[in-house]
Amino acid sequence: RSVQLSITGFYRSS
Amino acid sequence: MLELRLVQGSILKKVLEAIKDLVNDANFDCSATGFSLQAMDSSHVALVALLLRSEGFEHYRCDRNLSMGMSLTNMAKMLKCAGNDDIVTIKADDGSDTITFMFESPTQDKIADFEMKLMDIDSEHLGIPEAEYEAIVRMPSSEFARICKDLGTIGDTVVISVTKEGVKFSTRGDIGTANIVCRQNTSIDKPEEATIIEMQEPVTLTFALRYMNSFAKATPLATQVTISLSSELPVVVEYKIAEMGYVRYYLAPKIEE
């Protein structure tokens, strides 16, 4: 089963 | 006061078509550098970053940094009313809650202005650090669009795999499987048809095709697309806008649990 990662898990709020 | 005049108004029309399906509402930022936008899709899986540099405009006046919230659906509706050869001017007064798009026909015999309401949008701005990518593929944008469209009829996800043999796009669905391999092809007489692969490390990543097909809406903006991949990072799909800037899409991968 594949899970979709979130973009916010990679880049921080600036 | 903001006044931006773009002789090739069709660029703005194409930009809206390229982003409006991914993002509904977004803040456009205007500064001395240019006209830009960064926004995530509603599920926070993909991010789009647009830059139209000030030097690319025939006239660029932006007295102070402005952030203007716009409905991209409504903006696209207004820009659809501009002719492909029209000159587009974007105007806004300080403190105004509207923005005006002015369209001039090339012969100046028709001038239209459309005023659109701005909106307050709470959006999260992400810092995207510069990264070294393990593999960078540059290929014709129409070829990439075709591959995503074709694979999307068979499966929901695409596995992109870069090796020294080339770049492989694979999918799997109820009806079967598909694999498309594009090999390096440095067409010297037709650079727009070249496929160039710069690989430091072989890399394999899985992505949702729905998003890739949405990114491919930017195809009319550039003859080539650049796909940057690293095993620990979102993919970057970039369409350069000649002389002006870019539309970049970032997409988080899918992982096996």
Side-chain angles (χ1 to χ4, degrees):
Chain A
R1 206 175 77 86
S2 65
V3 178
Q4 175 65 64
L5 300 179
S6 160
I7 201 91
T8 48
F10 291 93
Y11 304 129
R12 298 200 169 183
S13 284
S14 62
Chain B
M1 166 95 189
L2 169 87
E3 196 170 285
L4 319 179
R5 180 177 160 92
L6 185 61
V7 168
Q8 211 183 328
S10 60
I11 290 177
L12 207 55
K13 285 165 73 80
K14 289 176 190 168
V15 163
L16 261 292
E17 291 307 307
I19 60 180
K20 75 173 168 60
D21 290 348
L22 196 65
V23 179
N24 297 325
D25 310 317
N27 284 313
F28 278 86
D29 298 310
C30 201
S31 72
T33 312
F35 194 59
S36 64
L37 166 149
Q38 192 204 81
M40 278 183 278
D41 78 297
S42 57
S43 52
H44 291 195
V45 167
L47 180 144
V48 56
L50 162 76
L51 175 65
L52 299 174
R53 287 186 201 93
S54 51
E55 304 90 81
F57 292 82
E58 281 63 37
H59 172 71
Y60 191 93
R61 177 176 170 189
C62 176
D63 296 343
R64 61 182 184 91
N65 292 359
L66 270 180
S67 186
M68 295 172 292
M70 298 190 219
S71 148
L72 299 189
T73 310
N74 295 347
M75 192 177 170
K77 276 182 196 169
M78 294 209 159
L79 288 168
K80 268 199 173 152
C81 301
N84 276 330
D85 302 326
D86 280 2
I87 299 161
V88 174
T89 303
I90 302 172
K91 288 184 192 180
D93 288 321
D94 285 344
S96 170
D97 57 358
T98 62
I99 187 165
T100 300
F101 302 105
M102 192 173 90
F103 310 140
E104 295 167 70
S105 66
T107 48
Q108 306 280 314
D109 53 357
K110 180 178 164 191
I111 296 171
D113 59 85
F114 288 68
E115 190 180 81
M116 189 179 82
K117 290 174 189 159
L118 296 176
M119 54 201 290
D120 283 324
I121 299 165
D122 257 338
S123 72
E124 194 180 357
H125 202 273
L126 299 182
I128 302 164
E130 286 287 316
E132 289 282 324
Y133 286 89
E134 289 162 357
I136 299 174
V137 177
R138 207 166 80 226
M139 64 188 293
S141 58
S142 56
E143 187 61 55
F144 176 68
R146 173 76 198 261
I147 290 168
C148 293
K149 181 167 160 269
D150 288 350
L151 296 187
T153 63
I154 293 161
D156 296 329
T157 60
V158 58
V159 179
I160 304 179
S161 177
V162 184
T163 62
K164 60 182 191 311
E165 309 304 322
V167 54
K168 184 165 78 167
F169 301 88
S170 310
T171 195
R172 175 182 296 275
D174 293 341
I175 63 166
T177 63
N179 296 291
I180 300 169
V181 178
C182 297
R183 295 163 83 179
Q184 172 143 298
N185 153 31
T186 48
S187 228
I188 293 163
D189 45 335
K190 287 184 181 169
E192 68 277 11
E193 288 176 16
T195 297
I196 295 162
I197 298 165
E198 290 169 38
M199 190 197 79
Q200 313 296 327
E201 293 284 335
V203 55
T204 297
L205 283 161
T206 303
F207 300 100
L209 272 166
R210 182 164 74 82
Y211 289 98
M212 289 292 182
N213 274 308
S214 177
F215 304 165
K217 299 250 159 69
T219 304
L221 282 167
T223 55
Q224 290 256 312
V225 60
T226 306
I227 306 159
S228 303
L229 299 139
S230 266
S231 46
E232 303 292 323
L233 286 173
V235 63
V236 188
V237 179
E238 181 184 51
Y239 296 83
K240 282 203 161 61
I241 304 169
E243 320 290 315
M244 287 211 81
Y246 55 76
V247 179
R248 286 181 191 150
Y249 301 97
Y250 297 79
L251 177 61
K254 296 184 94 168
I255 53 160
E256 287 302 321
E257 211 178 36

